[in-house]
Amino acid sequence: MMHGREKSDLTVVAAKPANNDGRPSAELVERRAGAEGNAGQDRTRRAQDRASVSKGLDRVRHVARQRKKERFTALLHHVTPDLLRTAFFALKRQAAPGVDGLTWQAYEADLDRRIESLHERVHRGAYRALPARRGFIPKADGSQRPLAIAALEDKIVQRATAAVLNAIYEEDFLGFSYGFRPGRGAHDALDALAVGITRTKVSHILDADIRSFFDHASCYPPQEPRSVPNAI
């Protein structure tokens, strides 16, 4: 919503590096509150995990940035024990357990063995996701929003897989895209919108219903998936 040369007010949108470095249209995103309570863990071990993960995903980002029309077909080796462990520590400690009843604290008590087992099952093709536990959240109008609660290991694998895929597709997003992106959300989009309409001259604001968008999405041809055979 904001133009590339506009600078966001630091009380609204902090000076955090944009996802698309070097692009004039990339916008900065708002600083949020600190991480939720995992600060007491072994920082050295976790820092080593993140460094290892970063090196592998940096190679993926480099290929995605340099070769826009190619496909990725060999990515499973990036789902490492370090990435799975990093994904685990990114989960909320107090989140409701899935159908297996396994909590964050119980998994953490034997973390290394559990992560190695999970990694082995994923790469052997023996990993199977569990059914989601169904929950409901009351809404202001009296109705209920259905909620699917995944088992803890499923959350770990989902987050690790998303980290690898994000390394590819984040290179294609523009700075003003906020939906379903890491480190961004609806509040960040509203912050950018507020700054955009108060700091720049705006003639029109368009509001689209996402349900209507998906109803008409079939009118557009699907995009070709990207890949690079065994390149990374």
Side-chain angles (χ1 to χ4, degrees):
M1 194 67 186
M2 296 159 48
H3 298 289
R5 65 175 183 269
E6 289 293 325
K7 298 297 182 183
S8 303
D9 189 285
L10 290 179
T11 62
V12 178
V13 183
K16 177 180 176 182
N19 292 63
N20 296 302
D21 294 336
R23 295 186 183 181
S25 62
E27 298 169 347
L28 303 178
V29 296
E30 183 191 14
R31 182 188 297 115
R32 290 292 161 194
E36 297 190 20
N38 292 347
Q41 296 298 325
D42 183 349
R43 293 180 181 272
T44 302
R45 174 66 176 276
R46 292 168 63 188
Q48 291 172 343
D49 289 345
R50 286 194 294 269
S52 174
V53 168
S54 179
K55 289 180 180 179
L57 296 186
D58 281 346
R59 295 196 298 272
V60 177
R61 293 187 189 97
H62 177 76
V63 175
R65 187 180 303 118
Q66 298 299 321
R67 293 152 40 175
K68 292 291 186 181
K69 294 185 178 181
E70 300 194 37
R71 295 184 177 183
F72 292 83
T73 58
L75 293 171
L76 185 59
H77 62 284
H78 289 292
V79 181
T80 64
D82 290 343
L83 179 57
L84 293 171
R85 192 179 294 106
T86 298
F88 168 77
F89 281 113
L91 299 177
K92 294 181 179 179
R93 287 188 177 188
Q94 303 305 324
V99 294
D100 58 353
L102 187 60
T103 64
W104 191 98
Q105 290 77 11
Y107 201 89
E108 193 266 346
D110 193 13
L111 182 61
D112 286 343
R113 185 189 65 80
R114 289 182 182 274
I115 289 294
E116 290 296 336
S117 172
L118 178 59
H119 176 259
E120 190 273 336
R121 281 180 280 132
V122 168
H123 282 260
R124 183 163 50 88
Y127 167 78
R128 295 292 183 272
L130 294 175
R133 182 166 71 87
R134 178 65 71 180
F136 293 91
I137 299 176
K139 299 171 65 175
D141 61 2
S143 62
Q144 291 185 320
R145 176 182 292 109
L147 178 67
I149 304 173
L152 191 128
E153 280 199 334
D154 296 339
K155 292 179 182 178
I156 296 173
V157 174
Q158 289 169 8
R159 186 176 287 268
T161 303
V164 177
L165 295 178
N166 281 335
I168 301 170
Y169 290 105
E170 275 294 294
E171 298 301 323
D172 294 334
F173 279 106
L174 298 177
F176 51 76
S177 299
Y178 286 85
F180 304 101
R181 296 181 65 189
R184 296 190 179 201
H187 292 291
D188 300 302
L190 290 173
D191 290 340
L193 177 64
V195 173
I197 64 179
T198 56
R199 299 294 182 87
T200 63
K201 183 178 180 180
V202 177
S203 300
H204 300 85
I205 297 178
L206 303 181
D207 180 24
D209 189 333
I210 191 170
R211 292 181 181 176
S212 298
F213 170 80
F214 282 113
D215 287 342
H216 297 287
S218 58
C219 299
Y220 299 92
Q223 291 186 342
E224 189 78 11
R226 299 177 53 182
S227 82
V228 177
N230 303 316
I232 50 175

